[in-house]
Amino acid sequence: AIAESGPVPEGSGSFAQLRRYSSESKHKASASSESLVSGANESRTRAEDSAAVGAMMHFALLNINVVVENPTEDAASWKFIGKPLEVALAKAAAEHHIHFPTVKEGKEAVHILPFNSLNKFAASVYKIDNKHMLSLLGAPEILLKFSDASEAEKADILSNIKSMADEGDRLVGVAVKEVDSITDFHLKDQTHIKNLKFLGTLSFRDPLRPGVADAIAEVMGSGVRVIIVTGDHAGTARVI
């Protein structure tokens, strides 16, 4: 299922992909979605696509930590406090009528592993409808290593990820699975994190601020060597 600004072209893909465009001053999205299933040439209804996107965003929101400053006001005017990417995700979800403050209602948090630069993902286990659901939000290439996708499917997904990164997008993936038993289950033990279902990617666009290119050119012209250190995908870094 692909949701992006503007019409969605025909094509093929083996994963759900939600493309987000966001910046500090502007945040736009379209609820347009269309299913693209590789190989089988099957089509799903838009309702099914919407449900797939909704599930992906629900699990993504379980792994972020933001605060709504004004929760009593209309959702369209909410102000969020948190990491910029997580705030953008919460705003994007609200545009799809999925509100962060209500996502965790009725769900029991069993295990929480915050994002860190070593793992490159956040993880959690929540009890949902008497099932223990493990979900990860983080670098899609890392999540794919924990997924049950075939090597061919992984190659296809990684190709799509590279294409988006080469456009300058920041990418995070979402993966889930039901945990049969939480006895002796630990998120820090990555042997417990395997055979996940890779749901898709969330793509964020955060354009350079005006004047950055001129500032970099000026310092380089003065003999300063500029080096970018980033945790983003290499393709994103090259575009920046």
Side-chain angles (χ1 to χ4, degrees), residues 37 43 57 66 71 102 141 158 181 194 198 208 211 214 236 240:
V37 181
S43 63
M57 298 201 78
V66 299
T102 63
E141 64 274 16
L158 288 171
S181 173
K194 57 184 179 181
F198 186 80
L208 290 174
D214 291 340
T236 305
I240 298 302

Side-chain angles (χ1 to χ4, degrees), residues 68-75 77-78:
V68 182
E69 281 188 346
N70 51 338
T72 59
E73 297 183 20
D74 184 77
S77 61
W78 279 349

Side-chain angles (χ1 to χ4, degrees), residues 14-117:
S14 59
F15 62 107
Q17 172 183 311
L18 181 64
R19 174 166 291 183
R20 308 303 312 156
Y21 295 91
S22 64
S23 67
E24 188 173 325
S25 60
K26 195 172 187 179
H27 186 89
K28 299 194 300 181
S30 168
S32 170
S33 62
E34 183 171 348
S35 177
L36 304 175
V37 181
S38 66
N41 292 322
E42 300 173 355
S43 63
R44 296 185 297 176
T45 65
R46 287 185 178 274
E48 289 172 326
D49 292 336
S50 180
V53 170
M56 182 165 63
M57 298 201 78
H58 269 92
F59 282 113
L61 291 179
L62 291 177
N63 290 284
I64 69 172
N65 184 23
V66 299
V67 175
V68 182
E69 281 188 346
N70 51 338
T72 59
E73 297 183 20
D74 184 77
S77 61
W78 279 349
K79 296 179 180 179
F80 294 91
I81 299 174
K83 297 178 181 178
L85 187 141
E86 294 186 359
V87 168
L89 175 54
K91 289 181 178 179
E95 292 174 4
H96 283 76
H97 309 291
I98 302 171
H99 303 310
F100 173 75
T102 63
V103 164
K104 297 182 181 181
E105 290 181 358
K107 301 177 179 67
E108 178 188 348
V110 180
H111 294 291
I112 300 291
L113 181 67
F115 178 90
N116 66 67
S117 57

Side-chain angles (χ1 to χ4, degrees), residues 174-187:
V174 184
V176 303
K177 81 167 185 176
E178 181 180 350
V179 178
D180 295 328
S181 173
I182 59 171
T183 303
D184 297 324
F185 183 93
H186 301 287
L187 287 173

